[in-house]
Amino acid sequence: MVSKIKHIGIFTSGGDAPGMNAALFAVAKTAESYGIKLSGIRRGFEGLIDNDLIPLNSRQLQRIMHLGGTLLKTARSDRFMTALGQQKALRTVQKNNLDALIAIGGDGTFRGMLSLANIGNTPFIGIPGTIDNDITGTDYTLGFDSAVNTAIKCIDNIRDTAESHNRVFLVEVMGRDSGYIGIYSGLSCGADSILIPESDEDITYLLNKIKNYDSEDAFIVVVAEGDALRVEEVMSQIRNVNPHIELRVAKLGHIQRGGNPSAQDRMLGIRLGVLATTALIEGESGKIAGFCNNKPSLSPFEGLVKKHLINTELKDLLTLFCG
Ligand SMILES: Nc1ncnc2c1ncn2[C@@H]1O[C@H](COP(=O)(O)OP(=O)(O)OP(=O)(O)O)[C@@H](O)[C@H]1O
Ligand SMILES: O=P(O)(O)OC[C@H]1O[C@](O)(CO)[C@@H](O)[C@@H]1O
C-alpha cells in the first residue's frame, strides 16, 4: 500500500508508564516497513513547542524496549495550555513537514491533541499510556499491569512485617482519580479493605470491620490516592472507632511508575504501536488505539471520557472480599 504519509512525529506525554518504550519500538518497526521516516519529539508538548526533535529507528529502540520510563522523556506542559503554546507547537509540525502525529499519554494528552486539531489539520492517533487505567476505548492502558505488579510486590512485603507485629497497615497506591490500581492490587493481595474513588460504601465496610478488631492477624487496607478520604483522614476515623490497634501508613508513590514493563505491557505496547501506525497509514485520524475484549479497536477522541466507573463485576468482588 502506498501511503500519503512520509514522515510521522511521535511523543510521550503526562506521567511516564512502563511499556512506552515498547510502543515506540513497534511504531518505528512498522513505519520502517512502509518506508516512513519517524521523528521523536522530546518532553511531550514541551518539545513540540521548542522544536526539540530527534530521529528514531527501530534498531536503537529494540535495545531499550524492555526498559521502563520513556526514551523520549515526558512532561506536563503548562505552556501548551495557552493559545500561544499551541500555535508554537503547530509551527513545529509544519516546519518539520510532519504528515502525522502519534501521542502516547493519558486523557490530558488526548485533550491536548484535540486542541491542536482545532487549529491545524495534521492527522493524529493516540496510544493510551498511563498507569491509572482511566481511559475509555481500551480495556487496559499501557503501564497499568506493571504498576499493579509493583504494588503487589510491595504490599506482600508489608504483609510480612504487619503479620509479625499484629499491625494494621494503610497502604496508599497511585491513581489520580481512579481506583483501578487500588482494586486490582488490593484484591490480589487479600486486602481486608479497599478504598477507591468509585465507591461510597467502602469506608463504612472498613469501619464496621475494624471497630471491634482484636486479632493477632495483620489487617491490610489499600487506599487509592484519588479516594475522597485521604489516608490521614482514614487513619483518624479508624482511631476514633478503635483506639487500641497499632496503625502504620505506607505510601507507595512513584515506585509504582518505574521498573521494567511486565510481559503484558510489552505485548500491549507492541500491539498498540502497530495498530496506531497502520491506522494512520490507512487514513484514520482523531482516534485512540486500544484493545477491547482482546480485539483491536479505534475509538474517536471526541467520545473519550475518563473511565471513572468500576464495572459491576469488580464492585461485586469488592463487596464479597471487603464488605
Ligand atoms: N484541556 C487541555 N487543553 C490543552 N492541553 C491539555 C489539556 N489538558 C491537558 N493538556 C496537556 O496535556 C498534558 C498532559 O496531561 P496530564 O498532565 O493530565 O497527563 P495525562 O496525559 O492525563 O497522563 P497521566 O494519566 O499519566 O497523568 C498537560 O500537561 C497539558 O500540557
Ligand atoms: O508524577 P506526578 O506529576 O506527580 O503525577 C502523579 C500522578 O501521575 C500518575 O502517576 C499517572 O501518571 C497518577 O497516578 C498520579 O496521581
Side-chain angles (χ1 to χ4, degrees), residues 39 47 110:
S39 290
F110 300 148

Side-chain angles (χ1 to χ4, degrees), residues 14-16 76 130-132 174-177 181 225 254 257:
D16 60 300
R76 304 193 193 273
T130 167
I131 63 165
D132 286 355
M174 268 189 166
R176 189 166 34 186
D177 307 300
I181 298 177
E225 171 196 23
H254 290 80
R257 259 199 354 222

Side-chain angles (χ1 to χ4, degrees), residues 167-199:
R167 281 176 177 158
V168 173
F169 257 87
L170 296 184
V171 186
E172 187 192 84
V173 297
M174 268 189 166
R176 189 166 34 186
D177 307 300
S178 159
Y180 267 88
I181 298 177
I183 196 162
Y184 269 61
S185 61
L187 286 172
S188 307
C189 290
D192 297 279
S193 179
I194 302 170
L195 303 187
I196 55 170
E198 295 86 351
S199 167

Side-chain angles (χ1 to χ4, degrees), residues 56-89:
L56 287 181
N57 64 69
S58 65
R59 186 75 193 127
Q60 120 208 59
L61 287 158
Q62 187 175 2
R63 303 151 89 96
I64 57 115
M65 58 86 68
H66 65 292
L67 297 178
T70 160
L71 173 89
L72 290 180
K73 299 191 180 286
T74 185
R76 304 193 193 273
S77 170
D78 289 338
R79 288 190 298 160
F80 188 77
M81 301 292 279
T82 66
L84 179 63
Q86 289 165 19
Q87 284 296 341
K88 283 187 175 166

Side-chain angles (χ1 to χ4, degrees), residues 7-48:
H7 188 187
I8 295 177
I10 187 165
F11 62 93
T12 48
S13 163
D16 60 300
M20 281 180 164
N21 285 322
L24 293 174
F25 170 51
V27 170
K29 195 82 183 161
T30 314
E32 279 164 17
S33 75
Y34 285 91
I36 294 171
K37 181 177 165 187
L38 183 67
S39 290
I41 300 147
R42 298 174 74 245
R43 300 174 293 116
F45 290 118
E46 287 286 293
L48 211 48

Side-chain angles (χ1 to χ4, degrees), residues 10 12-13 15-27 65 69-70 103-106 110 126-135 138-148 181 256-257 261-273 289-291:
I10 187 165
T12 48
S13 163
D16 60 300
M20 281 180 164
N21 285 322
L24 293 174
F25 170 51
V27 170
M65 58 86 68
T70 160
I104 311 179
F110 300 148
I127 294 180
T130 167
I131 63 165
D132 286 355
N133 202 37
D134 59 350
I135 292 175
T138 191
D139 294 335
Y140 296 106
T141 56
L142 211 48
F144 168 68
D145 183 66
S146 308
V148 168
I181 298 177
Q256 294 156 98
R257 259 199 354 222
S262 63
Q264 186 162 315
D265 277 329
R266 294 180 199 200
M267 281 307 296
L268 187 61
I270 288 171
R271 287 186 164 138
L272 290 177
F291 274 81

